[in-house]
Amino acid sequence: MRVPKFIESMAAGVLKTLAGILTKPRVVREAELFVDVVICIALAITPGLFGWFLCITFFLLRDVFTAQRLSPGKSLYNLRIIKVADGSPAEWKMTVVRNLILLTPILNVVDIFYFIKHGRRLTDVWLKFDVVQDMVDSAPQDEQDDDNPPTSD
């Protein structure tokens, strides 16, 4: 059975729109935060107060765990925290302060509403940070054969 042309073009339009939405920086930021929150909730359901301790510790230090200072969500979506002034990576102490705001009553609500309205956290504005997405090179790189190293004549 042949699919009518208008349904085919409509489906292609919907897929193109979805692809555009899912690659927008704001949606990527929300997806990154969702991954980190799911991990935090999984830690919080550990029995007793130890689970809450793990959850809060993870949330505060989530951008400090790796050498690149990336949370699991940020590394999944190729995001990194940089200083607006010079583009260098944020210091680990400042990323802890950045995350501490989300655990502070009232400030976290203000920060979340600011993010919803502007697509950027108020904490990032205060600390002069930005979260940027690294562009991943999808072109295949030339791989050298380890058995036959290049020779220089």
Side-chain angles (χ1 to χ4, degrees), residues 33-98:
L33 183 61
F34 179 76
V35 169
D36 291 343
V37 167
V38 166
I39 293 170
C40 192
I41 290 171
L43 292 171
I45 61 174
T46 303
L49 291 177
F50 186 65
W52 283 104
F53 173 76
L54 287 175
C55 175
I56 291 171
T57 303
F58 169 78
F59 206 76
L60 284 175
L61 301 177
R62 65 192 171 119
D63 295 320
V64 181
F65 286 130
T66 64
Q68 295 84 17
R69 292 194 270 298
L70 299 174
S71 69
K74 283 184 185 62
S75 59
L76 181 67
Y77 289 99
N78 297 319
L79 298 174
R80 60 189 174 95
I81 305 169
I82 62 168
K83 294 179 190 175
V84 172
D86 58 3
S88 64
E91 298 90 14
W92 71 271
K93 293 176 187 176
M94 295 310 287
T95 61
V96 172
V97 170
R98 183 179 176 273

Side-chain angles (χ1 to χ4, degrees), residues 24-34 62 74 77 79 98 115 119-121 124 130-132:
K24 289 188 185 283
R26 185 176 185 151
V27 174
V28 170
R29 288 287 311 277
E30 291 168 356
E32 170 263 324
L33 183 61
F34 179 76
R62 65 192 171 119
K74 283 184 185 62
Y77 289 99
L79 298 174
R98 183 179 176 273
F115 178 78
R120 188 170 178 213
R121 285 184 52 196
D124 291 340
D130 200 4
V131 177
V132 295

